[in-house]
Amino acid sequence: AQSLPFVCERSVPSLPKLSNSDLSAKTTTAATASISKVKSSTNINKKYDPCQTKPYNRYNLFYILERERFLQSKSNYKRKTVPPPSDFFTGYELLNMPALPPRFEHLDLPYDWYMPGTRKAKKRDHTKSHGLASFKDIARHVADEYRNIDKVTLKYVTAVAEILKQRQGELKAARRRELEHIAEMNALASTSSIPTSSSSITNRVDAC
């Protein structure tokens, strides 16, 4: 497994939007370079904590994709993308995803569609929604389609969900190692300019 830096302090610039052909099984040079810039820190962003935010399960992933398929089938639908802040880092940027299944391969998707937490970081645009269908209608449509999901699509969303779950485990492990290292350094140091109580560190490690 790839060694991940501690991800509470986000200093990674936003990634460029990928085209459909680039979306599958591909990472960018910008992502590879930027992940190394994430600094170790015990300052947890209360708005988004990668260790506490659950990754999408396979139904969540299907819902996102099927909703887009439903809306993009409308001739008057225009997707408005609101990028996250330039310093926002989810911890899920360097994932090698499988190619989209035939059902969704034509969709115009943002590069971060599967990344948990991105909606929390994006500044909400207070404008009228698409107005093409109500939330209830979309939810019913997605539920009906999921009951009849084909094997290829099910295999895809299951694989993506497993990749996200594995990355969450890596993030938690990185958090634990970092906090345990800080606790050890504090225990060895006779004096410290950064007052960090052992109980505080223990609580944060347990939270992972």
Side-chain angles (χ1 to χ4, degrees):
Q2 181 180 354
S3 177
L4 296 175
F6 192 58
V7 295
C8 285
E9 187 174 300
R10 281 163 273 291
S11 59
V12 180
S14 59
L15 308 182
K17 177 183 174 183
L18 303 181
S19 63
N20 291 339
S21 59
D22 292 334
L23 186 62
S24 59
K26 195 171 185 179
T27 57
T28 64
T29 302
T32 304
S34 62
I35 194 172
S36 64
K37 298 179 182 179
V38 180
K39 298 177 181 179
S40 297
S41 171
T42 57
N43 298 320
I44 297 177
N45 187 324
K46 293 181 180 179
K47 193 172 184 179
Y48 171 73
D49 180 358
C51 288
Q52 300 300 325
T53 301
K54 290 183 179 181
Y56 296 128
N57 59 37
R58 64 184 185 181
Y59 183 78
N60 299 147
L61 295 166
F62 180 81
Y63 184 97
I64 294 171
L65 293 170
E66 184 59 30
R67 176 184 181 276
E68 284 300 311
R69 191 179 81 93
F70 176 75
L71 294 176
Q72 291 184 28
S73 67
K74 310 296 182 181
S75 60
N76 56 338
Y77 175 68
K78 294 182 180 180
R79 181 173 62 81
K80 186 174 183 179
T81 301
V82 180
S86 59
D87 62 345
F88 186 76
F89 178 68
T90 69
Y92 293 82
E93 279 75 7
L94 290 177
L95 295 178
N96 189 23
M97 292 297 185
L100 288 165
R103 183 183 184 87
F104 302 127
E105 62 185 3
H106 65 285
L107 295 181
D108 178 23
L109 297 168
Y111 75 91
D112 60 354
W113 71 268
Y114 58 84
M115 297 182 191
T118 55
R119 292 186 179 182
K120 295 181 180 180
K122 296 177 181 179
K123 183 177 180 181
R124 185 175 179 182
D125 188 12
H126 294 277
T127 57
K128 185 177 180 181
S129 62
H130 52 77
L132 299 177
S134 67
F135 172 80
K136 183 177 180 179
D137 290 339
I138 294 175
R140 184 186 298 113
H141 168 81
V142 173
D144 290 342
E145 293 297 321
Y146 190 75
R147 279 193 287 269
N148 300 301
I149 189 172
D150 62 271
K151 292 182 179 180
V152 175
T153 302
L154 180 61
K155 182 179 180 180
Y156 171 79
V157 294
T158 300
V160 173
E162 185 59 34
I163 292 172
L164 296 179
K165 182 178 179 181
Q166 180 178 349
R167 173 51 60 90
Q168 185 193 41
E170 294 169 354
L171 292 172
K172 286 185 175 182
R175 166 78 57 80
R176 182 177 292 275
R177 287 193 301 269
E178 184 71 21
L179 295 179
E180 288 177 347
H181 174 71
I182 293 173
E184 291 174 0
M185 295 301 293
N186 285 343
L188 293 174
S190 57
T191 61
S192 175
S193 59
I194 305 178
T196 304
S197 65
S198 58
S199 61
S200 175
I201 290 296
T202 301
N203 291 338
R204 287 178 178 173
V205 171
D206 292 341
C208 292

mmCIF file of all heavy atoms in Angstrom, residues 170-198:
data_model
loop_
_atom_site.group_PDB
_atom_site.id
_atom_site.type_symbol
_atom_site.label_atom_id
_atom_site.label_comp_id
_atom_site.label_asym_id
_atom_site.label_seq_id
_atom_site.Cartn_x
_atom_site.Cartn_y
_atom_site.Cartn_z
ATOM 1 N N GLU A 170 -6.234 3.249 4.773
ATOM 2 C CA GLU A 170 -4.876 3.780 4.674
ATOM 3 C C GLU A 170 -4.784 5.152 5.326
ATOM 4 O O GLU A 170 -3.778 5.473 5.984
ATOM 5 C CB GLU A 170 -4.463 3.850 3.206
ATOM 6 C CG GLU A 170 -4.333 2.485 2.544
ATOM 7 C CD GLU A 170 -4.185 2.592 1.028
ATOM 8 O OE1 GLU A 170 -4.294 3.725 0.509
ATOM 9 O OE2 GLU A 170 -3.957 1.563 0.380
ATOM 10 N N LEU A 171 -5.806 5.978 5.138
ATOM 11 C CA LEU A 171 -5.826 7.309 5.742
ATOM 12 C C LEU A 171 -5.853 7.209 7.270
ATOM 13 O O LEU A 171 -5.167 7.960 7.970
ATOM 14 C CB LEU A 171 -7.035 8.100 5.244
ATOM 15 C CG LEU A 171 -7.017 8.493 3.762
ATOM 16 C CD1 LEU A 171 -8.361 9.087 3.369
ATOM 17 C CD2 LEU A 171 -5.902 9.474 3.470
ATOM 18 N N LYS A 172 -6.663 6.292 7.785
ATOM 19 C CA LYS A 172 -6.743 6.118 9.234
ATOM 20 C C LYS A 172 -5.407 5.619 9.791
ATOM 21 O O LYS A 172 -4.973 6.042 10.867
ATOM 22 C CB LYS A 172 -7.863 5.135 9.581
ATOM 23 C CG LYS A 172 -9.262 5.714 9.411
ATOM 24 C CD LYS A 172 -10.311 4.717 9.883
ATOM 25 C CE LYS A 172 -11.700 5.330 9.821
ATOM 26 N NZ LYS A 172 -12.740 4.407 10.327
ATOM 27 N N ALA A 173 -4.767 4.723 9.054
ATOM 28 C CA ALA A 173 -3.477 4.201 9.495
ATOM 29 C C ALA A 173 -2.424 5.307 9.517
ATOM 30 O O ALA A 173 -1.602 5.387 10.432
ATOM 31 C CB ALA A 173 -3.033 3.050 8.593
ATOM 32 N N ALA A 174 -2.464 6.183 8.494
ATOM 33 C CA ALA A 174 -1.522 7.300 8.437
ATOM 34 C C ALA A 174 -1.767 8.263 9.593
ATOM 35 O O ALA A 174 -0.813 8.769 10.201
ATOM 36 C CB ALA A 174 -1.662 8.033 7.102
ATOM 37 N N ARG A 175 -3.022 8.517 9.886
ATOM 38 C CA ARG A 175 -3.362 9.391 11.018
ATOM 39 C C ARG A 175 -2.838 8.806 12.323
ATOM 40 O O ARG A 175 -2.245 9.494 13.152
ATOM 41 C CB ARG A 175 -4.883 9.548 11.075
ATOM 42 C CG ARG A 175 -5.442 10.139 12.363
ATOM 43 C CD ARG A 175 -5.269 11.641 12.447
ATOM 44 N NE ARG A 175 -5.881 12.329 11.334
ATOM 45 C CZ ARG A 175 -7.182 12.591 11.226
ATOM 46 N NH1 ARG A 175 -8.022 12.192 12.168
ATOM 47 N NH2 ARG A 175 -7.643 13.246 10.195
ATOM 48 N N ARG A 176 -3.059 7.511 12.533
ATOM 49 C CA ARG A 176 -2.636 6.861 13.770
ATOM 50 C C ARG A 176 -1.116 6.905 13.917
ATOM 51 O O ARG A 176 -0.592 7.212 14.992
ATOM 52 C CB ARG A 176 -3.135 5.413 13.785
ATOM 53 C CG ARG A 176 -2.786 4.655 15.055
ATOM 54 C CD ARG A 176 -3.372 3.255 15.023
ATOM 55 N NE ARG A 176 -4.826 3.322 15.096
ATOM 56 C CZ ARG A 176 -5.497 3.403 16.234
ATOM 57 N NH1 ARG A 176 -4.854 3.432 17.381
ATOM 58 N NH2 ARG A 176 -6.808 3.442 16.217
ATOM 59 N N ARG A 177 -0.396 6.605 12.840
ATOM 60 C CA ARG A 177 1.071 6.620 12.907
ATOM 61 C C ARG A 177 1.588 8.011 13.247
ATOM 62 O O ARG A 177 2.525 8.167 14.041
ATOM 63 C CB ARG A 177 1.660 6.141 11.573
ATOM 64 C CG ARG A 177 1.514 4.650 11.317
ATOM 65 C CD ARG A 177 2.388 4.205 10.160
ATOM 66 N NE ARG A 177 2.065 4.897 8.925
ATOM 67 C CZ ARG A 177 1.178 4.464 8.031
ATOM 68 N NH1 ARG A 177 0.519 3.329 8.253
ATOM 69 N NH2 ARG A 177 0.944 5.132 6.926
ATOM 70 N N GLU A 178 0.988 9.023 12.633
ATOM 71 C CA GLU A 178 1.425 10.390 12.866
ATOM 72 C C GLU A 178 1.206 10.806 14.312
ATOM 73 O O GLU A 178 2.083 11.374 14.961
ATOM 74 C CB GLU A 178 0.669 11.335 11.923
ATOM 75 C CG GLU A 178 1.115 12.794 12.008
ATOM 76 C CD GLU A 178 2.482 13.022 11.408
ATOM 77 O OE1 GLU A 178 2.915 12.174 10.592
ATOM 78 O OE2 GLU A 178 3.122 14.028 11.753
ATOM 79 N N LEU A 179 0.015 10.516 14.852
ATOM 80 C CA LEU A 179 -0.294 10.905 16.217
ATOM 81 C C LEU A 179 0.528 10.113 17.236
ATOM 82 O O LEU A 179 0.933 10.648 18.263
ATOM 83 C CB LEU A 179 -1.787 10.724 16.480
ATOM 84 C CG LEU A 179 -2.718 11.646 15.664
ATOM 85 C CD1 LEU A 179 -4.174 11.357 15.990
ATOM 86 C CD2 LEU A 179 -2.392 13.106 15.901
ATOM 87 N N GLU A 180 0.761 8.851 16.928
ATOM 88 C CA GLU A 180 1.583 8.050 17.830
ATOM 89 C C GLU A 180 3.022 8.566 17.841
ATOM 90 O O GLU A 180 3.691 8.579 18.883
ATOM 91 C CB GLU A 180 1.548 6.582 17.409
ATOM 92 C CG GLU A 180 0.206 5.905 17.713
ATOM 93 C CD GLU A 180 0.161 4.470 17.221
ATOM 94 O OE1 GLU A 180 1.057 4.086 16.428
ATOM 95 O OE2 GLU A 180 -0.754 3.731 17.627
ATOM 96 N N HIS A 181 3.511 9.010 16.677
ATOM 97 C CA HIS A 181 4.857 9.563 16.597
ATOM 98 C C HIS A 181 4.952 10.846 17.418
ATOM 99 O O HIS A 181 5.935 11.066 18.145
ATOM 100 C CB HIS A 181 5.220 9.844 15.140
ATOM 101 C CG HIS A 181 6.534 10.540 14.972
ATOM 102 N ND1 HIS A 181 7.740 9.927 15.204
ATOM 103 C CD2 HIS A 181 6.831 11.826 14.599
ATOM 104 C CE1 HIS A 181 8.725 10.785 14.989
ATOM 105 N NE2 HIS A 181 8.196 11.941 14.622
ATOM 106 N N ILE A 182 3.939 11.698 17.314
ATOM 107 C CA ILE A 182 3.925 12.938 18.094
ATOM 108 C C ILE A 182 3.909 12.626 19.586
ATOM 109 O O ILE A 182 4.602 13.273 20.372
ATOM 110 C CB ILE A 182 2.703 13.793 17.707
ATOM 111 C CG1 ILE A 182 2.847 14.291 16.263
ATOM 112 C CG2 ILE A 182 2.539 14.983 18.649
ATOM 113 C CD1 ILE A 182 1.615 15.002 15.739
ATOM 114 N N ALA A 183 3.118 11.631 19.973
ATOM 115 C CA ALA A 183 3.052 11.250 21.385
ATOM 116 C C ALA A 183 4.407 10.762 21.882
ATOM 117 O O ALA A 183 4.837 11.087 23.002
ATOM 118 C CB ALA A 183 1.987 10.175 21.579
ATOM 119 N N GLU A 184 5.101 9.986 21.061
ATOM 120 C CA GLU A 184 6.418 9.477 21.452
ATOM 121 C C GLU A 184 7.430 10.618 21.590
ATOM 122 O O GLU A 184 8.235 10.635 22.528
ATOM 123 C CB GLU A 184 6.911 8.464 20.408
ATOM 124 C CG GLU A 184 6.129 7.165 20.399
ATOM 125 C CD GLU A 184 6.541 6.245 19.266
ATOM 126 O OE1 GLU A 184 7.448 6.647 18.492
ATOM 127 O OE2 GLU A 184 5.975 5.151 19.153
ATOM 128 N N MET A 185 7.394 11.567 20.648
ATOM 129 C CA MET A 185 8.313 12.699 20.705
ATOM 130 C C MET A 185 8.051 13.556 21.935
ATOM 131 O O MET A 185 8.984 14.041 22.586
ATOM 132 C CB MET A 185 8.180 13.537 19.432
ATOM 133 C CG MET A 185 8.591 12.822 18.160
ATOM 134 S SD MET A 185 10.316 12.257 18.194
ATOM 135 C CE MET A 185 11.174 13.839 18.200
ATOM 136 N N ASN A 186 6.795 13.763 22.267
ATOM 137 C CA ASN A 186 6.458 14.552 23.447
ATOM 138 C C ASN A 186 6.917 13.856 24.738
ATOM 139 O O ASN A 186 7.310 14.504 25.708
ATOM 140 C CB ASN A 186 4.958 14.809 23.505
ATOM 141 C CG ASN A 186 4.512 15.858 22.510
ATOM 142 O OD1 ASN A 186 5.327 16.615 21.986
ATOM 143 N ND2 ASN A 186 3.218 15.906 22.238
ATOM 144 N N ALA A 187 6.833 12.528 24.726
ATOM 145 C CA ALA A 187 7.239 11.771 25.906
ATOM 146 C C ALA A 187 8.749 11.839 26.111
ATOM 147 O O ALA A 187 9.241 11.835 27.240
ATOM 148 C CB ALA A 187 6.788 10.319 25.783
ATOM 149 N N LEU A 188 9.498 11.909 25.001
ATOM 150 C CA LEU A 188 10.956 11.932 25.091
ATOM 151 C C LEU A 188 11.502 13.331 25.360
ATOM 152 O O LEU A 188 12.589 13.483 25.922
ATOM 153 C CB LEU A 188 11.558 11.389 23.780
ATOM 154 C CG LEU A 188 11.335 9.901 23.480
ATOM 155 C CD1 LEU A 188 11.858 9.558 22.093
ATOM 156 C CD2 LEU A 188 12.031 9.037 24.529
ATOM 157 N N ALA A 189 10.765 14.333 24.922
ATOM 158 C CA ALA A 189 11.254 15.701 25.068
ATOM 159 C C ALA A 189 11.130 16.184 26.508
ATOM 160 O O ALA A 189 10.106 16.004 27.156
ATOM 161 C CB ALA A 189 10.469 16.618 24.137
ATOM 162 N N SER A 190 12.175 16.794 27.002
ATOM 163 C CA SER A 190 12.128 17.329 28.364
ATOM 164 C C SER A 190 11.329 18.619 28.412
ATOM 165 O O SER A 190 10.672 18.919 29.413
ATOM 166 C CB SER A 190 13.544 17.581 28.888
ATOM 167 O OG SER A 190 14.251 18.463 28.017
ATOM 168 N N THR A 191 11.413 19.402 27.334
ATOM 169 C CA THR A 191 10.611 20.618 27.213
ATOM 170 C C THR A 191 10.035 20.667 25.819
ATOM 171 O O THR A 191 10.569 20.077 24.887
ATOM 172 C CB THR A 191 11.470 21.877 27.447
ATOM 173 O OG1 THR A 191 12.503 21.910 26.457
ATOM 174 C CG2 THR A 191 12.054 21.897 28.845
ATOM 175 N N SER A 192 8.928 21.392 25.667
ATOM 176 C CA SER A 192 8.288 21.502 24.362
ATOM 177 C C SER A 192 7.687 22.884 24.208
ATOM 178 O O SER A 192 7.059 23.411 25.120
ATOM 179 C CB SER A 192 7.187 20.441 24.210
ATOM 180 O OG SER A 192 6.501 20.619 22.998
ATOM 181 N N SER A 193 7.882 23.480 23.040
ATOM 182 C CA SER A 193 7.298 24.795 22.754
ATOM 183 C C SER A 193 5.864 24.673 22.297
ATOM 184 O O SER A 193 5.145 25.651 22.172
ATOM 185 C CB SER A 193 8.110 25.512 21.667
ATOM 186 O OG SER A 193 8.126 24.735 20.481
ATOM 187 N N ILE A 194 5.433 23.436 22.001
ATOM 188 C CA ILE A 194 4.059 23.201 21.569
ATOM 189 C C ILE A 194 3.365 22.376 22.640
ATOM 190 O O ILE A 194 3.569 21.162 22.723
ATOM 191 C CB ILE A 194 3.997 22.452 20.220
ATOM 192 C CG1 ILE A 194 4.787 23.203 19.169
ATOM 193 C CG2 ILE A 194 2.545 22.249 19.784
ATOM 194 C CD1 ILE A 194 4.822 22.501 17.824
ATOM 195 N N PRO A 195 2.581 22.996 23.491
ATOM 196 C CA PRO A 195 1.918 22.249 24.570
ATOM 197 C C PRO A 195 0.850 21.312 24.038
ATOM 198 O O PRO A 195 -0.195 21.726 23.563
ATOM 199 C CB PRO A 195 1.294 23.367 25.424
ATOM 200 C CG PRO A 195 1.071 24.493 24.467
ATOM 201 C CD PRO A 195 2.209 24.421 23.483
ATOM 202 N N THR A 196 1.140 20.035 24.066
ATOM 203 C CA THR A 196 0.179 19.037 23.603
ATOM 204 C C THR A 196 0.050 17.978 24.682
ATOM 205 O O THR A 196 1.011 17.260 24.964
ATOM 206 C CB THR A 196 0.646 18.373 22.288
ATOM 207 O OG1 THR A 196 0.874 19.402 21.317
ATOM 208 C CG2 THR A 196 -0.403 17.409 21.771
ATOM 209 N N SER A 197 -1.100 17.875 25.294
ATOM 210 C CA SER A 197 -1.297 16.929 26.381
ATOM 211 C C SER A 197 -1.365 15.516 25.855
ATOM 212 O O SER A 197 -1.835 15.266 24.753
ATOM 213 C CB SER A 197 -2.591 17.259 27.129
ATOM 214 O OG SER A 197 -3.702 17.068 26.298
ATOM 215 N N SER A 198 -0.882 14.566 26.638
ATOM 216 C CA SER A 198 -0.897 13.170 26.222
ATOM 217 C C SER A 198 -2.322 12.666 26.093
ATOM 218 O O SER A 198 -2.626 11.826 25.251
ATOM 219 C CB SER A 198 -0.134 12.310 27.241
ATOM 220 O OG SER A 198 -0.710 12.444 28.533
#
